[in-house]
């Protein structure tokens, strides 16, 4: 039986007004056991909720709470899931966690395959570690979207790639979710000689049958660090390989548009960069549903920054033509044309996006040619030179390669380099340590639109 210690109660909340206190233990909601946060929220949706708690002295009380339809009960528990995270039992040939170096913080080595994190954090899950009852619960609670790591729909091949004898029934699970109209997103980690070529065509064609309930499918290349001793021998994709992958995907995009009005399957940015092809137009990305998988991230960066520059240009043109008192919005934009003349500022990027970042500099110099904007590509010595994305750069590599460089007044640090809830790099170096080592003020950049432009120019 699941029981949950209450660590605090929000002041003035329904639970507080009903006399529930920190130290009590939640046993039942509406007479039902509470497995995790989803059971809790599902039962607490009612305007009249029966709450059974055990007091610290062992006495059990059942309390009827009347509340507004959208009101939270107000009880706070030690873990956000109200349960332990479920670890992955697969041994995927492409798993990046198996390629991490020793000595990193413990949480980096934890392999999750928890369906609940798919809804709470957008994580991708294989469905191999789920019971039928868990899939039924997703359908019952209408939890969506569910993000699925498919990789291949060939049953025998999926069993081999995931090293899990239960991995072959992926289409049965997807069909069940499809029939219940649960929105899904899919992911394929492509491994050369395994699930590419004809197998990729098969997988895309199989999954296209579930569109548009399956709203999108991303295809990303396997990440290969230098720590692969004892692991499956995998090769990187060449320029020619990448071009072939793009051709397959773009062929299916045309078919998907004709069938269901969406592009459905998307190649991550890395394929286009390695193949030395132009990135697709913005409308091809169907609203950037797969941005966290690196699909359209570069295009979005360009478009956001281009629009920010255009807004400033338009404000300057309006001011120059009309010679009238500018609106507050225009005055804020006009400041960007004149603030901090001759400013010097720097940023870092992974080697993959280095050429693309130069396009940002060209856009900037349309309105501020006086700003010296220095872009430093960082080679990933920590994980190995095949890892080229910005989000896997470490503090020690950045410090080692920027030591002695002209960094200007400020170093702009992409947010993706840091832990989600702390200013810490993957190697546990704190941002303050990096600042001290490089003797430069560091500003975290979370957006590549107007906020990014303001950060470069130095306007709050």
């Amino acid at each position: 039986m699941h029981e949950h210690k209450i660590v605090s109660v929000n002041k003035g909340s329904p639970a507080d007004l009903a006399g529930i206190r920190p130290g009590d233990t939640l046993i039942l909601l509406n007479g039902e056991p509470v497995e995790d946060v989803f059971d809790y929220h599902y039962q607490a949706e009612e305007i009249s909720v029966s709450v059974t708690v055990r007091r610290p002295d062992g006495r059990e009380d059942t309390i009827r709470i009347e509340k507004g339809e959208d009101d939270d009960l107000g009880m706070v528990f030690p873990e956000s899931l109200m349960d332990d995270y479920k670890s992955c039992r697969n041994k995927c040939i492409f798993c990046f966690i198996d390629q991490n170096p020793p000595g990193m913080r413990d949480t980096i080595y934890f392999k999750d395959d928890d369906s609940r994190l798919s809804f709470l954090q957008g994580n991708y899950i294989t469905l191999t570690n789920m019971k039928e009852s868990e899939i039924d619960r997703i359908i019952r609670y209408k939890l969506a979207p569910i993000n699925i790591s498919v990789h291949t729909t060939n049953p025998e091949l999926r069993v081999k790639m995931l090293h899990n004898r239960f991995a072959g029934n992926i289409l049965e699970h997807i069909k069940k979710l499809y029939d219940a109209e649960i929105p899904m997103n899919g992911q394929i980690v492509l491994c050369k000689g395994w699930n590419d070529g004809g197998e990729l065509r098969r997988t895309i064609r199989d999954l296209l049958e579930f569109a548009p309930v399956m709203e999108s499918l991303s295809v990303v290349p396997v990440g290969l660090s230098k720590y692969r001793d004892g692991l499956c021998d995998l090769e990187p994709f060449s320029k020619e390989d990448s071009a072939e992958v793009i051709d397959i995907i773009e062929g299916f995009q045309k078919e998907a548009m004709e069938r269901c009005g969406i592009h459905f399957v998307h190649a991550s940015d890395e394929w286009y960069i390695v193949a030395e092809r132009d990135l697709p137009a913005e409308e091809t990305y169907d609203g950037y549903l797969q941005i966290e998988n690196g699909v359209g991230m570069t295009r979005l960066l360009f478009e956001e920054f281009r629009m920010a520059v255009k807004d400033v240009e338009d404000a300057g043109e309006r001011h120059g033509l009309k010679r009238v008192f500018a609106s507050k919005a225009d005055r804020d934009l006009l400041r960007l044309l004149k603030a901090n003349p001759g400013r010097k500022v720097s940023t870092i990027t992974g080697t993959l996006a280095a050429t693309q970042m130069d396009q940002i500099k060209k856009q900037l110099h349309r309105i501020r040619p006086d700003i010296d904007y220095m872009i430093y590509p960082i080679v990933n010595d920590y994980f190995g030179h095949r890892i080229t994305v910005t989000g896997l750069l470490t503090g020690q590599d950045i410090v080692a390669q920027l030591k002695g460089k002209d960094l200007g007044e400020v170093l702009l640090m992409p947010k993706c380099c840091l832990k989600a809830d702390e200013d810490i790099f993957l190697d546990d170096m704190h941002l303050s340590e990096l600042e001290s080592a490089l003797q430069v003020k560091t500003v975290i950049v979370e957006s590549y639109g107007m906020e990014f432009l303001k950060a470069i120019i130095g306007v709050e």
Side-chain angles (χ1 to χ4, degrees), residues 17-37:
L17 298 176
I20 295 173
R21 297 290 176 258
D24 292 344
T25 299
L26 175 65
I27 301 174
L28 301 171
L29 281 181
N30 296 326
E32 299 287 338
V34 179
E35 180 180 336
D36 56 25
V37 66

Side-chain angles (χ1 to χ4, degrees), residues 35-237:
E35 180 180 336
D36 56 25
V37 66
F38 293 115
D39 284 339
Y40 175 80
H41 285 301
Y42 182 77
Q43 296 294 343
E45 280 183 351
E46 305 293 331
I47 59 174
S48 179
V49 184
S50 169
V51 182
T52 302
V53 295
R54 181 184 299 115
R55 306 296 187 176
D57 62 6
R59 175 173 47 92
E60 290 189 6
D61 286 337
T62 298
I63 307 158
R64 175 67 60 178
I65 297 179
E66 307 293 333
K67 65 178 189 61
E69 186 176 358
D70 297 325
D71 290 345
D72 182 71
L73 287 173
M75 291 179 276
V76 181
F77 305 93
E79 301 292 340
S80 60
L81 274 182
M82 299 176 65
D83 193 16
D84 294 332
Y85 292 108
K86 295 181 180 179
S87 61
C88 182
R89 296 193 296 269
N90 301 324
K91 189 68 175 176
C92 301
I93 62 171
F94 48 79
C95 182
F96 196 81
I97 293 175
D98 289 338
Q99 304 178 63
N100 279 323
M104 303 178 77
R105 56 180 177 268
D106 290 343
T107 53
I108 289 178
Y109 300 106
F110 179 76
K111 299 181 185 180
D112 78 75
D113 198 28
D114 198 316
S115 63
R116 296 164 298 186
L117 297 182
S118 185
F119 314 107
L120 295 174
Q121 300 176 11
N123 294 18
Y124 278 76
I125 58 173
T126 64
L127 302 183
T128 58
N129 298 300
M130 294 179 67
K131 301 174 183 175
E132 283 295 324
S133 60
E134 293 177 279
I135 295 178
D136 290 339
R137 194 166 73 124
I138 289 171
I139 294 170
R140 177 188 174 201
Y141 290 173
K142 299 188 184 301
L143 299 172
I146 180 167
N147 299 321
I148 305 171
S149 290
V150 181
H151 310 309
T152 178
T153 54
N154 179 333
E156 294 79 14
L157 179 58
R158 196 167 194 264
V159 167
K160 290 179 181 178
M161 291 187 71
L162 274 60
H163 283 177
N164 186 320
R165 62 191 178 93
F166 302 108
N169 57 356
I170 183 65
L171 286 177
E172 297 171 25
H173 293 323
I174 292 175
K175 177 67 162 57
K176 189 170 186 177
L177 293 166
Y178 171 80
D179 289 341
E181 298 184 348
I182 301 297
M184 297 171 276
N185 295 295
Q187 177 196 59
I188 298 171
V189 174
L190 210 62
C191 301
K192 188 173 180 178
W194 286 79
N195 59 339
D196 55 347
E199 291 292 346
L200 177 60
R201 290 185 177 89
R202 170 179 175 165
T203 300
I204 297 173
R205 186 164 298 286
D206 286 345
L207 296 179
L208 184 55
E209 294 299 316
F210 302 109
V213 175
M214 179 170 278
E215 300 172 331
S216 68
L217 174 66
S218 64
V219 182
V220 303
V222 61
L224 300 173
S225 84
K226 65 183 179 182
Y227 298 96
R228 291 197 56 83
D229 290 347
L231 299 179
C232 179
D233 187 20
L234 296 176
E235 299 178 17
F237 287 92

Side-chain angles (χ1 to χ4, degrees), residues 281-299:
E282 186 172 30
E283 58 269 18
T284 308
Y285 292 104
D286 295 341
Y288 298 107
L289 291 173
Q290 293 269 1
I291 193 78
E292 297 300 327
N293 271 329
V295 176
M297 190 174 291
T298 310
R299 170 58 68 194

